[in-house]
């Protein structure tokens, strides 16, 4: 009886030791790769933003210069947990464009995540699909890697075309659908038009906050120069 108890105790200690060693190895690996993962994620996000607003078209860090999207706009953009508007500035520091996330909830295979870049005048600087589960060879043509369809939004706005023309041609709109796939482009078009309406409503606040934050930076810089 004692030998069985001793054997069980040894097995338990062995399992505990193995678990401890495994946990230590996992923690070491995580901490060793955490910075690399974060750096890779930052580089990927920055690359996507720069596809819409290239580095020569702004003077600031798009990843760091952001404003939170107010909660009452989350449903319009399809965002369950909110998001940030990335501000692009011209050489004088004034806001020149914005990039923000949106999610079309009604793709053929579920949610279609995207980022939308808008110039301050409300025209589209670019749209990129960042995540989707659409059917290869059909709905996946919303992805720039598969077709140029998404580039057809560049330069468009709420007035170009008119709001009732923001639809696929099958529905009487101005935008192409895909052969054998209408649901996917319809979902993307509808979400982009909602995003345009969001910006129209939030534009004044965004410009005011972006201008105020830039003024604060300029004041800090002036204070530093006087201090020197």
């Amino acid at each position: 009886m004692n030998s069985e108890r001793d054997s069980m105790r040894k097995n338990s200690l062995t399992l505990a030791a193995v678990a401890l060693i495994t946990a230590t190895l996992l923690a070491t690996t995580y901490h060793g790769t955490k910075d690399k993962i974060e750096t890779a994620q930052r580089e990927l996000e920055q690359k996507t933003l720069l596809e819409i607003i290239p580095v020569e078209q702004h003077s600031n860090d798009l990843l760091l210069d952001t404003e939170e999207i107010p909660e009452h706009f989350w449903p319009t953009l399809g965002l369950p947990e909110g998001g940030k508007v990335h501000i692009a500035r011209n050489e004088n520091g004034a806001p020149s464009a914005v990039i923000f996330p949106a999610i079309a909830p009604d793709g053929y295979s579920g949610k279609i995540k995207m980022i939308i870049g808008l110039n301050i005048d409300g025209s589209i600087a670019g749209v990129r699909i960042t995540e989707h589960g659409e059917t290869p060879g059909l709905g996946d043509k919303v992805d720039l890697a598969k077709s140029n369809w998404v580039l057809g939004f560049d330069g468009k706005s709420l007035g170009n075309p008119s709001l009732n023309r923001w639809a696929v041609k099958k529905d009487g709109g101005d935008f192409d659908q895909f052969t054998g796939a209408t649901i996917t482009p319809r979902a993307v078009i509808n979400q982009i038009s909602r995003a345009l309406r969001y910006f129209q409503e939030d534009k004044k606040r965004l410009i005011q906050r972006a201008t105020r934050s830039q003024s604060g930076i300029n004041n800090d810089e002036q204070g530093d120069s006087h201090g020197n």
Side-chain angles (χ1 to χ4, degrees):
M1 194 73 175
N2 289 335
S3 61
E4 290 182 4
R5 190 178 296 111
D6 291 341
S7 177
M8 291 177 62
R9 186 181 297 111
K10 288 180 180 179
N11 289 337
S12 297
L13 291 173
T14 300
L15 288 173
V18 170
L20 179 60
I21 292 171
T22 301
T24 302
L25 289 173
L26 288 173
T28 302
T29 301
Y30 170 75
H31 288 296
T33 59
K34 180 182 178 182
D35 291 343
K36 292 181 180 180
I37 292 173
E38 289 179 350
T39 299
Q41 289 175 337
R42 175 185 168 84
E43 290 176 351
L44 178 60
E45 185 178 358
Q46 188 173 52
K47 180 182 177 182
T48 305
L49 294 174
L50 292 177
E51 284 185 15
I52 295 178
I53 303 178
V55 65
E56 63 271 14
Q57 293 182 14
H58 64 277
S59 61
N60 60 318
D61 189 332
L62 296 177
L63 283 179
L64 298 179
D65 201 341
T66 62
E67 293 290 342
E68 294 288 339
I69 298 173
E71 188 171 352
H72 61 277
F73 286 122
W74 295 2
T76 302
L77 296 173
L79 303 174
E81 298 177 352
K84 295 181 178 180
V85 178
H86 299 265
I87 310 294
R89 300 178 186 275
N90 60 26
E91 63 276 7
N92 297 318
S96 58
V98 297
I99 303 176
F100 53 88
I103 301 176
D106 49 356
Y108 182 79
S109 299
K111 297 179 179 180
I112 301 174
K113 297 182 180 181
M114 65 190 81
I115 57 172
I116 300 168
L118 300 180
N119 298 307
I120 287 299
D121 65 4
S123 62
I124 294 177
V127 177
R128 293 294 183 274
I129 305 303
T130 58
E131 186 178 328
H132 68 86
E134 301 305 290
T135 306
L138 293 173
D140 68 342
K141 292 178 182 177
V142 295
D143 192 330
L144 184 58
K146 302 296 182 179
S147 82
N148 291 331
W149 179 80
V150 76
L151 299 181
F153 296 106
D154 293 2
K156 303 296 185 183
S157 65
L158 277 182
N160 175 33
S162 58
L163 187 57
N164 64 335
R165 302 289 297 179
W166 273 87
V168 294
K169 291 180 178 177
K170 183 178 181 180
D171 298 335
D174 282 13
F175 298 95
D176 292 330
Q177 61 264 2
F178 309 142
T179 301
T182 302
I183 294 175
T184 303
R186 181 186 288 138
V188 172
I189 292 166
N190 287 342
Q191 185 54 65
I192 293 174
S193 68
R194 289 192 290 268
L196 289 170
R197 293 196 295 273
Y198 149 71
F199 181 66
Q200 188 178 57
E201 294 181 30
D202 199 27
K203 176 180 176 179
K204 182 178 180 180
R205 182 194 70 89
L206 283 172
I207 292 177
Q208 287 177 341
R209 290 184 65 86
T211 302
R212 192 180 306 130
S213 64
Q214 182 63 24
S215 297
I217 292 173
N218 290 339
N219 290 337
D220 289 343
E221 291 175 347
Q222 291 175 5
D224 290 341
S225 63
H226 290 314
N228 292 331

